[in-house]
Amino acid sequence: MDSLKQAIRERGEIINEDVLKVDSFLNHQIDWKLMLQAAQDIYEHFKHEKINKIVTIETSGIAPALYTAQLFDVPLVFLKKSKPSTMNQDIYQTNVHSFTKQIDYTLSGSSSYLNKEDHVLLIDDFLANGEACLGALNILKQAQASVAGIAVLIEKAHQKGHQRLLELGYEVYALARIDTMNSGVITFLEEES
Ligand code: 5GP
């Protein structure tokens, strides 16, 4: 997706060769036009699937996932990174290791909103080593939901997430695939996987 690549090049900050900061349009301030374009791209790619639910992980997946849910005209469920006191019964949970924060957290989702009738498109902001997506997939497995595919806005292709998800048989669609972030220069792989 050219506009996303352009935003990454012009507005992204390379923290180190493995971490990109995109607070100016995705992780803090949100560029809604860019998120809408991302959602339209994701919708075009997966519209042949009978998706009845979009699932993402709070917080930064929510903006693109919400627009995507609107296009599919289905609900959006965001998995929570901590268990709220109001979520008491029939909760699916799993542990996830955070790549950027270097901590483990518990991902939670309620059986009230995820079940075996669901055919889900999973959306996240970044794909690095795949831990967040694998955690979300674990929750979907507990819910016995089926998975149409996984869409991420930014994949860092030099990390192992994409390969891990492919090996498990999932389709991974990344809108911008970063190859390297060395010496202050970002290079991209081809647009689609
Ligand atoms: P993974 O679980 O695939 O290793 O990492 C993906 C998760 O970590 C994403 O949900 C995102 O929150 C965060 N993440 C991974 N790499 C980056 C990065 O380079 N920049 C930012 N801002 N977040 C990242």
Side-chain angles (χ1 to χ4, degrees), residues 63-79:
L66 182 60
Y67 282 126
T68 312
Q70 182 185 14
L71 293 167
F72 277 99
D73 194 15
V74 299
L76 163 66
V77 175
F78 63 92
L79 303 176

Side-chain angles (χ1 to χ4, degrees), residues 13-14 29-30 41 64 66 75 93 115 131 187 189:
E13 273 178 64
I14 300 170
Q29 171 172 265
I30 295 174
D41 192 317
L66 182 60
Q93 290 191 304
N115 59 58
E131 296 292 328
T187 60
L189 292 180

Side-chain angles (χ1 to χ4, degrees), residues 127-131 133-134 150 155-167 172:
L127 176 60
N129 292 320
E131 296 292 328
C133 283
L134 288 168
I150 300 162
E155 175 192 328
K156 290 171 296 168
H158 56 285
Q159 293 171 291
K160 57 185 183 208
H162 193 133
Q163 193 54 36
R164 288 173 87 186
L165 296 170
L166 283 188
E167 281 167 9
V172 180

